[in-house]
Amino acid sequence: MNDINRKNVLIGKKKHDCNDIMRAWMIAEGIAKESELVQIENDAKKSVKVSRKNAWNAYKAPIIKEKEQLLAFFKCVKNTNTQ
């Protein structure tokens, strides 16, 4: 696929993006104001960043614990061999 086709595909996807269509409809129907939707999006982005960080930390925690245990074991073995 060449660059022109990729651009056309992206334009087509943007034109038919359900989120953009829903946003325009909500504004047109008076359900929400642009500023309200921007605030919701910003809050969602912040929430996702916090959740992503918490998930990453939860994923890393047992790995870090195991690493610390292994380093303590190596230190113990080193001390035993030097005596």
Side-chain angles (χ1 to χ4, degrees), residues 4 7 11-12 14-16 19 27 35 40 42 48-49 53-55 61 64-65 70 73 75 79:
I4 294 173
K7 289 179 184 176
I11 290 169
K14 183 68 175 167
K15 182 179 177 184
H16 299 290
N19 292 320
I27 293 169
S35 60
I40 291 169
N42 290 338
V48 167
K49 284 181 182 181
K53 183 179 177 182
N54 290 341
I64 291 170
K65 182 178 180 183
L70 185 59
F73 174 74
K75 186 176 180 179
N79 291 339

mmCIF file of all heavy atoms in Angstrom, residues 4 7 11-12 14-16 19 27 35 40 42 48-49 53-55 61 64-65 70 73 75 79:
data_model
loop_
_atom_site.group_PDB
_atom_site.id
_atom_site.type_symbol
_atom_site.label_atom_id
_atom_site.label_comp_id
_atom_site.label_asym_id
_atom_site.label_seq_id
_atom_site.Cartn_x
_atom_site.Cartn_y
_atom_site.Cartn_z
ATOM 1 N N ILE A 4 -0.240 7.385 -0.547
ATOM 2 C CA ILE A 4 -1.512 8.027 -0.921
ATOM 3 C C ILE A 4 -2.684 7.169 -0.478
ATOM 4 O O ILE A 4 -3.662 7.664 0.085
ATOM 5 C CB ILE A 4 -1.561 8.309 -2.442
ATOM 6 C CG1 ILE A 4 -0.500 9.351 -2.808
ATOM 7 C CG2 ILE A 4 -2.946 8.762 -2.866
ATOM 8 C CD1 ILE A 4 -0.344 9.592 -4.286
ATOM 9 N N LYS A 7 -3.108 7.372 3.291
ATOM 10 C CA LYS A 7 -3.747 8.629 3.677
ATOM 11 C C LYS A 7 -5.237 8.577 3.404
ATOM 12 O O LYS A 7 -6.038 9.026 4.227
ATOM 13 C CB LYS A 7 -3.099 9.810 2.953
ATOM 14 C CG LYS A 7 -1.713 10.122 3.453
ATOM 15 C CD LYS A 7 -1.080 11.274 2.697
ATOM 16 C CE LYS A 7 0.343 11.490 3.174
ATOM 17 N NZ LYS A 7 1.028 12.527 2.400
ATOM 18 N N ILE A 11 -8.177 8.943 6.138
ATOM 19 C CA ILE A 11 -9.230 9.947 5.979
ATOM 20 C C ILE A 11 -10.598 9.278 6.047
ATOM 21 O O ILE A 11 -11.513 9.766 6.713
ATOM 22 C CB ILE A 11 -9.051 10.730 4.658
ATOM 23 C CG1 ILE A 11 -7.812 11.629 4.746
ATOM 24 C CG2 ILE A 11 -10.290 11.546 4.324
ATOM 25 C CD1 ILE A 11 -7.384 12.236 3.419
ATOM 26 N N GLY A 12 -10.738 8.143 5.383
ATOM 27 C CA GLY A 12 -12.005 7.408 5.406
ATOM 28 C C GLY A 12 -12.359 6.937 6.804
ATOM 29 O O GLY A 12 -13.508 7.019 7.226
ATOM 30 N N LYS A 14 -11.350 8.296 9.621
ATOM 31 C CA LYS A 14 -11.679 9.478 10.428
ATOM 32 C C LYS A 14 -13.093 9.957 10.100
ATOM 33 O O LYS A 14 -13.846 10.344 10.991
ATOM 34 C CB LYS A 14 -10.645 10.586 10.166
ATOM 35 C CG LYS A 14 -10.845 11.810 11.004
ATOM 36 C CD LYS A 14 -10.572 11.525 12.467
ATOM 37 C CE LYS A 14 -10.666 12.798 13.277
ATOM 38 N NZ LYS A 14 -10.717 12.548 14.701
ATOM 39 N N LYS A 15 -13.452 9.920 8.838
ATOM 40 C CA LYS A 15 -14.776 10.375 8.399
ATOM 41 C C LYS A 15 -15.885 9.512 9.007
ATOM 42 O O LYS A 15 -16.963 9.999 9.312
ATOM 43 C CB LYS A 15 -14.856 10.340 6.881
ATOM 44 C CG LYS A 15 -16.155 10.843 6.304
ATOM 45 C CD LYS A 15 -16.132 10.787 4.786
ATOM 46 C CE LYS A 15 -17.454 11.215 4.211
ATOM 47 N NZ LYS A 15 -17.478 11.065 2.755
ATOM 48 N N HIS A 16 -15.596 8.241 9.191
ATOM 49 C CA HIS A 16 -16.607 7.299 9.694
ATOM 50 C C HIS A 16 -16.337 6.872 11.138
ATOM 51 O O HIS A 16 -16.891 5.860 11.600
ATOM 52 C CB HIS A 16 -16.680 6.075 8.787
ATOM 53 C CG HIS A 16 -17.061 6.407 7.374
ATOM 54 N ND1 HIS A 16 -18.318 6.826 7.038
ATOM 55 C CD2 HIS A 16 -16.333 6.422 6.241
ATOM 56 C CE1 HIS A 16 -18.360 7.068 5.742
ATOM 57 N NE2 HIS A 16 -17.167 6.833 5.231
ATOM 58 N N ASN A 19 -16.872 7.498 17.240
ATOM 59 C CA ASN A 19 -16.742 8.430 18.363
ATOM 60 C C ASN A 19 -16.968 9.869 17.919
ATOM 61 O O ASN A 19 -17.633 10.648 18.608
ATOM 62 C CB ASN A 19 -15.359 8.292 19.011
ATOM 63 C CG ASN A 19 -15.189 6.962 19.695
ATOM 64 O OD1 ASN A 19 -16.098 6.466 20.338
ATOM 65 N ND2 ASN A 19 -14.020 6.384 19.540
ATOM 66 N N ILE A 27 -23.549 17.006 20.577
ATOM 67 C CA ILE A 27 -23.490 18.466 20.560
ATOM 68 C C ILE A 27 -24.690 19.035 19.814
ATOM 69 O O ILE A 27 -25.347 19.961 20.284
ATOM 70 C CB ILE A 27 -22.151 18.947 19.947
ATOM 71 C CG1 ILE A 27 -20.995 18.569 20.881
ATOM 72 C CG2 ILE A 27 -22.173 20.448 19.684
ATOM 73 C CD1 ILE A 27 -19.620 18.740 20.269
ATOM 74 N N SER A 35 -17.169 21.718 25.552
ATOM 75 C CA SER A 35 -16.291 21.826 26.725
ATOM 76 C C SER A 35 -16.502 20.655 27.690
ATOM 77 O O SER A 35 -15.542 20.172 28.308
ATOM 78 C CB SER A 35 -16.521 23.148 27.443
ATOM 79 O OG SER A 35 -17.866 23.255 27.880
ATOM 80 N N ILE A 40 -14.495 15.441 29.848
ATOM 81 C CA ILE A 40 -14.656 13.990 30.015
ATOM 82 C C ILE A 40 -13.455 13.254 29.410
ATOM 83 O O ILE A 40 -12.909 12.325 30.014
ATOM 84 C CB ILE A 40 -15.975 13.504 29.380
ATOM 85 C CG1 ILE A 40 -17.162 14.014 30.190
ATOM 86 C CG2 ILE A 40 -16.008 11.986 29.255
ATOM 87 C CD1 ILE A 40 -18.507 13.827 29.514
ATOM 88 N N ASN A 42 -10.417 14.436 28.903
ATOM 89 C CA ASN A 42 -9.223 14.698 29.711
ATOM 90 C C ASN A 42 -9.231 13.871 30.988
ATOM 91 O O ASN A 42 -8.204 13.311 31.389
ATOM 92 C CB ASN A 42 -9.103 16.190 30.031
ATOM 93 C CG ASN A 42 -8.758 17.015 28.813
ATOM 94 O OD1 ASN A 42 -8.227 16.505 27.834
ATOM 95 N ND2 ASN A 42 -9.085 18.292 28.855
ATOM 96 N N VAL A 48 -6.825 6.683 32.721
ATOM 97 C CA VAL A 48 -6.122 5.612 32.018
ATOM 98 C C VAL A 48 -4.643 5.617 32.378
ATOM 99 O O VAL A 48 -4.044 4.560 32.601
ATOM 100 C CB VAL A 48 -6.319 5.736 30.489
ATOM 101 C CG1 VAL A 48 -5.354 4.845 29.725
ATOM 102 C CG2 VAL A 48 -7.756 5.407 30.121
ATOM 103 N N LYS A 49 -4.043 6.802 32.464
ATOM 104 C CA LYS A 49 -2.625 6.883 32.824
ATOM 105 C C LYS A 49 -2.384 6.312 34.213
ATOM 106 O O LYS A 49 -1.436 5.554 34.435
ATOM 107 C CB LYS A 49 -2.139 8.326 32.760
ATOM 108 C CG LYS A 49 -1.921 8.818 31.353
ATOM 109 C CD LYS A 49 -1.416 10.247 31.342
ATOM 110 C CE LYS A 49 -1.251 10.742 29.912
ATOM 111 N NZ LYS A 49 -0.749 12.119 29.857
ATOM 112 N N LYS A 53 -0.288 2.898 35.025
ATOM 113 C CA LYS A 53 0.836 2.907 35.961
ATOM 114 C C LYS A 53 0.626 1.882 37.067
ATOM 115 O O LYS A 53 1.542 1.134 37.427
ATOM 116 C CB LYS A 53 1.003 4.306 36.559
ATOM 117 C CG LYS A 53 2.175 4.433 37.487
ATOM 118 C CD LYS A 53 2.313 5.835 38.040
ATOM 119 C CE LYS A 53 3.464 5.914 39.016
ATOM 120 N NZ LYS A 53 3.617 7.237 39.612
ATOM 121 N N ASN A 54 -0.587 1.823 37.612
ATOM 122 C CA ASN A 54 -0.889 0.856 38.674
ATOM 123 C C ASN A 54 -0.762 -0.579 38.174
ATOM 124 O O ASN A 54 -0.232 -1.444 38.879
ATOM 125 C CB ASN A 54 -2.292 1.096 39.241
ATOM 126 C CG ASN A 54 -2.371 2.373 40.044
ATOM 127 O OD1 ASN A 54 -1.365 2.915 40.488
ATOM 128 N ND2 ASN A 54 -3.575 2.876 40.230
ATOM 129 N N ALA A 55 -1.227 -0.824 36.956
ATOM 130 C CA ALA A 55 -1.134 -2.169 36.379
ATOM 131 C C ALA A 55 0.332 -2.555 36.164
ATOM 132 O O ALA A 55 0.730 -3.685 36.451
ATOM 133 C CB ALA A 55 -1.905 -2.244 35.068
ATOM 134 N N ALA A 61 5.847 -5.860 40.565
ATOM 135 C CA ALA A 61 6.084 -6.111 41.994
ATOM 136 C C ALA A 61 6.619 -7.513 42.277
ATOM 137 O O ALA A 61 7.642 -7.648 42.968
ATOM 138 C CB ALA A 61 4.817 -5.826 42.795
ATOM 139 N N ILE A 64 10.234 -7.810 40.960
ATOM 140 C CA ILE A 64 11.197 -7.088 41.793
ATOM 141 C C ILE A 64 11.454 -7.854 43.090
ATOM 142 O O ILE A 64 12.598 -7.967 43.539
ATOM 143 C CB ILE A 64 10.695 -5.652 42.064
ATOM 144 C CG1 ILE A 64 10.733 -4.838 40.766
ATOM 145 C CG2 ILE A 64 11.514 -4.980 43.158
ATOM 146 C CD1 ILE A 64 10.041 -3.493 40.852
ATOM 147 N N LYS A 65 10.396 -8.399 43.672
ATOM 148 C CA LYS A 65 10.549 -9.169 44.911
ATOM 149 C C LYS A 65 11.443 -10.386 44.674
ATOM 150 O O LYS A 65 12.355 -10.670 45.461
ATOM 151 C CB LYS A 65 9.179 -9.605 45.428
ATOM 152 C CG LYS A 65 9.236 -10.361 46.726
ATOM 153 C CD LYS A 65 7.851 -10.729 47.215
ATOM 154 C CE LYS A 65 7.928 -11.497 48.517
ATOM 155 N NZ LYS A 65 6.602 -11.921 48.983
ATOM 156 N N LEU A 70 16.735 -13.120 45.014
ATOM 157 C CA LEU A 70 17.861 -13.734 44.317
ATOM 158 C C LEU A 70 19.157 -13.008 44.648
ATOM 159 O O LEU A 70 20.190 -13.651 44.907
ATOM 160 C CB LEU A 70 17.613 -13.723 42.808
ATOM 161 C CG LEU A 70 18.627 -14.437 41.932
ATOM 162 C CD1 LEU A 70 18.735 -15.911 42.315
ATOM 163 C CD2 LEU A 70 18.259 -14.292 40.470
ATOM 164 N N PHE A 73 20.231 -14.019 48.032
ATOM 165 C CA PHE A 73 20.791 -15.374 47.973
ATOM 166 C C PHE A 73 22.234 -15.329 47.462
ATOM 167 O O PHE A 73 23.124 -15.966 48.028
ATOM 168 C CB PHE A 73 19.927 -16.267 47.078
ATOM 169 C CG PHE A 73 20.506 -17.621 46.846
ATOM 170 C CD1 PHE A 73 20.486 -18.586 47.837
ATOM 171 C CD2 PHE A 73 21.089 -17.931 45.621
ATOM 172 C CE1 PHE A 73 21.025 -19.850 47.622
ATOM 173 C CE2 PHE A 73 21.639 -19.188 45.396
ATOM 174 C CZ PHE A 73 21.608 -20.142 46.399
ATOM 175 N N LYS A 75 24.297 -12.858 47.594
ATOM 176 C CA LYS A 75 25.123 -12.221 48.620
ATOM 177 C C LYS A 75 25.478 -13.233 49.705
ATOM 178 O O LYS A 75 26.622 -13.298 50.173
ATOM 179 C CB LYS A 75 24.382 -11.030 49.221
ATOM 180 C CG LYS A 75 25.194 -10.222 50.191
ATOM 181 C CD LYS A 75 24.420 -9.002 50.668
ATOM 182 C CE LYS A 75 25.233 -8.190 51.627
ATOM 183 N NZ LYS A 75 24.508 -7.001 52.087
ATOM 184 N N ASN A 79 29.202 -14.501 50.591
ATOM 185 C CA ASN A 79 29.740 -14.419 51.959
ATOM 186 C C ASN A 79 30.195 -15.795 52.441
ATOM 187 O O ASN A 79 31.192 -15.905 53.182
ATOM 188 C CB ASN A 79 28.721 -13.809 52.911
ATOM 189 C CG ASN A 79 28.493 -12.335 52.634
ATOM 190 O OD1 ASN A 79 29.327 -11.682 52.017
ATOM 191 N ND2 ASN A 79 27.363 -11.813 53.070
#
